[in-house]
C-alpha cells in the first residue's frame, strides 16, 4: 500500500495567516491526490481533488499543488472556520490511503 | 442534495459480525461507487472498500477476508458486514459516495456511527 505522510502533525496559527501543509507519498501517484477538512465530531469534507482542483463550494483561499510524490495544501488567509484537521488521500492505486492528518490550532 | 445516513448496532461483541447499513437520499445510487471508511485514533482514516451500484466490489486487502459489502438499489441502501471483530475494529464508521470513476474521492459522507467492540 502507498503510505501518505503529512507534515507537520499539528501547528498553531492565527487568523489571517498563510499556512501550508505538506503530504508526501511513498511512491509516485501522479496527481491522484485529494485533500479533506475534518472538524471535531464531523465527517471529512472534500476540499480539493486531482491535486489542485477545487471542489464546488470550497473557498478560493484553499489551493493545492504538486504531483508525483510531493503535494501541498495552502490556505492563503486563515479564517476562524478553517481551524480543523486536514487529511490527504491518494487514489492512484488500491488500497486508497489517507495521511495521518494535520491539526491546525488557534494560536 | 445527496445525504447518507449510517445505521446499525453501536456495540458488537468480540468474534461476532459487525453489520451496518447506509441509506442514500436526495439522489440515485446508479452510476456511482459507494464506500465504507472507518476512523480510529490508532489507525486514522482507513478505506475499507467500495461497491458499485451494480454490485461489483473492491475491498481493502487488509480486511478482505472479513468484509462483505452489498447493495439494494430498490431501497437506496448499501451495507457492510465485518466478521470476527476484535477491539481493534472499534471505530467511527462512515459511508461515502465516490465522486466519479475518474476522480475516486469521497464527495458525500454520512455523519458517521461509532461502533464499539466489547463484551
Amino acid at each position: 500500500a502507498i503510505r501518505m505522510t503529512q507534515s507537520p502533525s499539528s501547528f498553531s496559527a492565527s487568523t489571517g495567516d498563510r499556512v501550508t501543509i505538506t503530504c508526501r507519498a511513498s511512491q509516485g501517484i501522479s496527481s491522484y491526490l485529494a485533500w479533506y477538512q475534518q472538524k471535531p465530531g464531523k465527517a471529512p469534507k472534500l476540499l480539493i481533488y486531482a491535486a489542485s482542483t477545487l471542489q464546488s463550494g470550497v473557498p478560493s483561499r484553499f489551493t493545492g499543488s504538486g504531483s508525483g510524490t510531493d503535494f501541498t495544501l495552502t490556505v492563503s488567509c486563515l479564517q476562524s472556520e478553517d481551524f480543523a484537521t486536514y487529511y490527504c488521500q491518494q487514489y492512484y492505486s488500491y488500497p486508497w490511503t489517507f495521511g495521518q492528518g494535520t491539526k491546525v490550532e488557534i494560536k | 442534495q445527496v445525504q447518507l445516513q449510517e445505521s446499525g448496532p453501536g456495540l458488537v461483541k468480540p468474534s461476532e459480525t459487525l453489520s451496518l447499513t447506509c441509506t442514500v437520499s436526495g439522489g440515485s445510487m446508479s452510476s456511482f461507487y459507494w464506500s465504507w471508511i472507518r476512523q480510529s485514533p490508532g489507525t486514522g482514516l482507513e478505506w475499507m472498500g467500495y461497491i458499485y451500484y451494480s454490485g461489483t466490489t473492491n475491498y481493502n486487502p487488509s480486511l478482505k477476508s472479513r468484509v462483505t459489502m452489498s447493495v439494494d438499489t430498490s431501497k437506496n441502501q448499501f451495507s457492510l458486514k465485518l466478521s470476527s471483530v476484535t477491539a481493534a475494529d472499534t471505530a467511527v464508521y462512515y459511508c461515502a459516495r465516490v465522486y466519479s470513476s475518474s476522480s475516486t474521492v469521497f464527495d458525500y459522507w454520512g455523519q458517521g456511527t461509532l461502533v464499539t467492540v466489547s463484551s
Side-chain angles (χ1 to χ4, degrees), chain A residues 34 36 38 42-44 46 49 55 87 89 91 94-96 98, chain B residues 39 45 47 50 58 60-61 94 99 103-107 109-110:
Chain A
Y36 299 85
Q38 187 178 34
K42 301 293 187 182
L46 177 65
Y49 61 96
Q55 173 69 344
Y87 294 92
Q89 177 228 332
Y91 51 103
Y94 299 117
W96 301 332
F98 293 84
Chain B
Q39 184 174 32
L45 287 162
W47 171 71
Y50 70 63
N58 189 344
N60 190 322
Y94 295 100
Y99 179 51
S103 291
T104 48
V105 297
F106 310 106
D107 60 345
W109 297 63

Side-chain angles (χ1 to χ4, degrees), chain B residues 66-88:
Chain B
R66 299 195 293 133
V67 69
T68 303
M69 296 181 188
S70 59
V71 63
D72 186 340
T73 55
S74 68
K75 294 182 179 179
N76 260 26
Q77 293 178 334
F78 62 106
S79 299
L80 168 73
K81 290 188 186 297
L82 183 67
S83 64
S84 306
V85 297
T86 69

Side-chain angles (χ1 to χ4, degrees), chain A residues 1-2 27 89-97, chain B residues 33 35 47 49-50 56-61 98 100-101 104 106:
Chain A
I2 297 175
Q27 65 185 75
Q89 177 228 332
Q90 69 81 19
Y91 51 103
Y92 176 79
S93 68
Y94 299 117
W96 301 332
T97 49
Chain B
Y33 294 83
S35 264
W47 171 71
Y50 70 63
T56 302
T57 56
N58 189 344
Y59 302 141
N60 190 322
V98 177
S100 75
S101 59
T104 48
F106 310 106

